[in-house]
Amino acid sequence: MARSRASYEYTEAEDKSMRLGFLLIAAGLLSLLGLGCCWLRPALQERGGGGSANCTVLAVRQLGERFACTFSCGAACRGTARYPCLQVLVRTSRSSAPALLHEDERQLRTNPKCSYIPPCARDDQENSENVTYKQKYWKEKVGSQPFTCYFNQHLRPDDVMLKRTHDETVLLHCFLWPVVTFLVGVLIVVLTICAKSLAVRAEAIKKKKHL
């Protein structure tokens, strides 16, 4: 009886496989829970009530107000610079009311008053030149040509985005990899248990033959 019980004990390698499997299961569940609460849920809320439309530029202007940005010039070197506020007003195919264009949701949250935030340079003049270049782009290169924009009537009815931060591919990967991690962990545990069970049965059959 003692020998029969001992045969069901896992070897060191099998024990490591079981621990790895349970670790992957826990990591997959925690990742899915964390991403769901901290990232996936807000992303779905942003997408809820949203859609795409055709936008046409109505006006491009710089406001007199300047905003602060933080630049980095090394590991321990940071500072504050300023940039002018560029506003691009558009009309969408869904509404005749003008809307303020933004690069994406992240830029909208960072500065809801402006349409563009330049890469923060140490020199204010360089920041101004970057904003002026973007202003010319919208005036001269885009002009009255229609382009695709995105909106959310529930959260931001007066704003539209040039691109989405949370597209279908990102949302898919956000859900896919924690599930894959969880399934790999389950597979390792199941295979380890099955392999041990087969080994025990083979050992029992071998003993019966020798009797």
Side-chain angles (χ1 to χ4, degrees):
M1 190 71 174
R3 290 181 180 178
S4 178
R5 289 179 181 176
S7 63
Y8 281 92
E9 292 181 358
Y10 290 102
T11 63
E12 184 179 353
E14 291 168 341
D15 187 57
K16 288 182 179 180
S17 296
M18 293 288 287
R19 289 182 182 180
L20 177 61
F22 286 123
L23 180 63
L24 290 176
I25 291 173
L29 291 175
L30 291 175
S31 298
L32 191 61
L33 181 63
L35 289 172
C37 294
C38 302
W39 198 89
L40 185 58
R41 186 178 176 183
L44 292 176
Q45 288 177 346
E46 287 182 0
R47 291 176 58 82
S52 61
N54 288 328
C55 281
T56 306
V57 176
L58 293 177
V60 183
R61 64 193 183 189
Q62 283 193 34
L63 301 183
E65 188 176 2
R66 287 178 170 262
F67 292 88
C69 64
T70 302
F71 64 86
S72 176
C73 50
C77 177
R78 288 182 175 272
T80 302
R82 292 189 171 273
Y83 64 92
C85 182
L86 175 67
Q87 287 189 339
V88 180
L89 298 177
V90 299
R91 178 186 289 117
T92 70
S93 56
R94 299 295 185 94
S95 174
S96 59
L100 183 61
L101 180 68
H102 300 272
E103 292 282 323
D104 52 28
E105 290 96 341
R106 187 179 294 108
Q107 185 268 312
L108 172 60
R109 289 193 298 266
T110 303
N111 190 340
K113 285 188 176 182
C114 305
S115 298
Y116 174 67
I117 300 177
C120 193
R122 193 169 189 171
D123 185 11
D124 291 355
Q125 181 62 31
E126 184 176 347
N127 291 327
S128 298
E129 291 175 357
N130 288 334
V131 172
T132 301
Y133 174 81
K134 184 64 71 170
Q135 182 179 5
K136 289 181 179 179
Y137 168 81
W138 284 107
K139 276 187 174 181
E140 300 174 4
K141 291 189 177 182
V142 178
S144 59
Q145 297 178 9
F147 58 93
T148 303
C149 60
Y150 302 92
F151 63 92
N152 192 312
Q153 293 178 343
H154 298 330
L155 297 180
R156 291 282 186 173
D158 299 326
D159 298 281
V160 295
M161 273 69 67
L162 185 61
K163 58 184 178 181
R164 280 176 173 163
T165 304
H166 307 119
D167 58 10
E168 289 82 358
T169 304
V170 176
L171 294 179
L172 175 63
H173 284 285
C174 180
F175 176 76
L176 177 63
W177 294 115
V179 172
V180 170
T181 303
F182 173 80
L183 293 178
V184 170
V186 172
L187 184 62
I188 290 175
V189 172
V190 171
L191 290 178
T192 303
I193 293 175
C194 290
K196 184 62 178 179
S197 178
L198 290 175
V200 170
R201 289 183 182 181
E203 184 180 353
I205 293 173
K206 185 178 180 180
K207 287 182 179 179
K208 286 182 180 181
K209 288 182 179 181
H210 287 288
L211 291 177

